């Protein structure tokens, strides 16, 4: 019985999360428990539990007289989170640089080319997905499972915001592709780990700086 309850809560969680991530439920959208329960054929209990989980992750907040609504983008949190990600990804890339195969580096080049096409076609959500694949392929080779898990958790937390970030700063997306080419070059030429770490860290900080300057 407990497993069934967890599965229903997970179903509701994934249903709401997907709509937040693809923009159907935008910032300020009122999440109506009874409506979602009807759409999924569930009672209100697992939906309420799912919303509590999303609240704990900062994606939903409760407002007086309104109920659960999709959170607005917290710009301060976005920049702070990017800064932490910069440190972790820089270190993970430096660790992984010694383990990346020629095939993996070729895949990085293909992913970056697909990012460029996605940007040309203004498919910003696809661009963000490919950006995640690009970096996750690198840090999957870092050999530190705890570090990899921490980075994945931060990316998951930022998933909704990241699309908005590239929408706010479209020119940053173009610069990001060029910086990826430099990361690939450093990895291909087996540059010193500290040099790789510093460049990848700056790559992420550049995104935070562009976001701050967008106005």
């Amino acid at each position: 019985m407990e497993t069934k309850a967890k599965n229903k809560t997970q179903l509701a969680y994934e249903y709401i999360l997907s709509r937040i991530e693809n923009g159907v439920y935008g910032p300020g959208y009122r999440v109506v428990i009874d409506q979602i329960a009807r759409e999924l054929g569930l009672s209100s209990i697992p939906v309420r539990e799912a919303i509590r989980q999303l609240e704990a992750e900062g994606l939903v907040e409760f407002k007086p007289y309104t109920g659960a609504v999709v959170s607005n983008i917290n710009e301060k949190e976005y920049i702070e989170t990017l800064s932490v990600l910069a440190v972790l990804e820089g270190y993970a890339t430096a660790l992984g640089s010694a383990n990346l195969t020629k095939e993996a580096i070729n895949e990085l080049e293909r992913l970056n080319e697909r990012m460029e096409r996605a940007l040309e076609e203004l498919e910003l959500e696809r661009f963000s997905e490919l950006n995640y694949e690009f970096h996750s392929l690198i840090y999957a080779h870092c050999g530190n499972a705890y570090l990899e898990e921490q980075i994945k958790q931060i990316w998951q937390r930022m998933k909704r915001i990241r699309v908005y970030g590239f929408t706010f700063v479209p020119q940053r997306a173009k610069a990001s592709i060029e910086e990826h080419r430099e990361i690939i070059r450093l990895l291909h030429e087996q540059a010193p780990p500290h040099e790789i770490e510093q460049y990848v860290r700056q790559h992420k900080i550049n995104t935070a700086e562009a976001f701050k300057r967008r106005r």
Side-chain angles (χ1 to χ4, degrees):
M1 291 294 290
E2 186 179 346
T3 302
K4 283 187 177 180
K6 282 184 180 178
N7 289 342
K8 289 178 179 179
T9 300
Q10 187 65 23
L11 171 65
Y13 171 86
E14 291 174 359
Y15 181 82
I16 300 167
L17 179 63
S18 68
R19 277 150 182 75
I20 292 173
E21 289 176 349
N22 64 26
V24 175
Y25 295 174
Y29 181 91
R30 185 168 173 244
V31 184
V32 182
I33 293 173
D34 291 343
Q35 177 186 329
I36 292 171
R38 283 196 302 272
E39 289 171 1
L40 295 176
L42 301 174
S43 70
S44 62
I45 294 171
V47 178
R48 190 173 289 110
E49 287 298 319
I51 290 173
R52 283 178 184 156
Q53 188 175 342
L54 290 161
E55 182 189 17
E57 294 172 4
L59 295 175
V60 168
E61 59 183 318
F62 280 88
K63 291 192 172 181
Y65 313 112
T66 303
V69 298
V70 176
S71 302
N72 289 315
I73 296 170
N74 185 325
E75 297 188 11
K76 183 173 182 289
E77 182 183 2
Y78 176 66
I79 291 166
E80 288 177 348
T81 306
L82 262 179
S83 300
V84 173
L85 191 59
V87 175
L88 296 182
E89 278 202 352
Y91 181 52
T93 305
L95 287 178
S97 62
N99 304 321
L100 279 165
T101 62
K102 183 179 178 182
E103 289 74 19
I105 292 174
N106 289 340
E107 179 61 18
L108 291 175
E109 290 177 340
R110 284 192 289 270
L111 286 168
N112 206 38
E113 288 169 2
R114 289 169 65 192
M115 285 178 67
E116 192 166 25
R117 288 197 297 272
L119 183 59
E120 288 169 356
E121 295 166 8
L122 297 177
E123 295 181 353
L124 295 180
E125 187 173 350
R126 181 64 182 148
F127 180 95
S128 291
E129 290 170 356
L130 290 166
N131 187 45
Y132 174 75
E133 287 183 41
F134 180 93
H135 287 285
S136 64
L137 175 59
I138 298 172
Y139 64 67
H141 290 77
C142 74
N144 185 321
Y146 181 76
L147 176 61
E148 186 179 351
E149 182 59 31
Q150 293 305 302
I151 294 173
K152 283 182 178 179
Q153 286 181 14
I154 293 174
W155 273 88
Q156 184 62 35
R157 185 181 181 88
M158 292 180 61
K159 195 170 182 181
R160 175 179 63 104
I161 305 172
R162 196 164 64 251
V163 177
Y164 294 141
F166 282 121
T167 302
F168 287 143
V169 199
Q171 68 272 24
R172 174 61 200 146
K174 187 174 182 180
S176 183
I177 291 169
E178 294 301 321
E179 290 169 16
H180 282 182
R181 289 195 178 103
E182 179 62 12
I183 291 170
I184 292 168
R185 185 190 70 79
L186 291 169
L187 293 169
H188 178 71
E189 295 180 2
Q190 297 182 326
H194 72 271
E195 187 178 332
I196 293 171
E197 180 174 359
Q198 183 177 5
Y199 189 86
V200 173
R201 184 183 299 182
Q202 189 60 49
H203 167 63
K204 271 292 181 290
I205 290 173
N206 288 346
T207 299
E209 292 297 325
F211 184 77
K212 285 191 284 188
R213 291 194 308 265
R214 73 191 187 282
R215 290 173 182 162

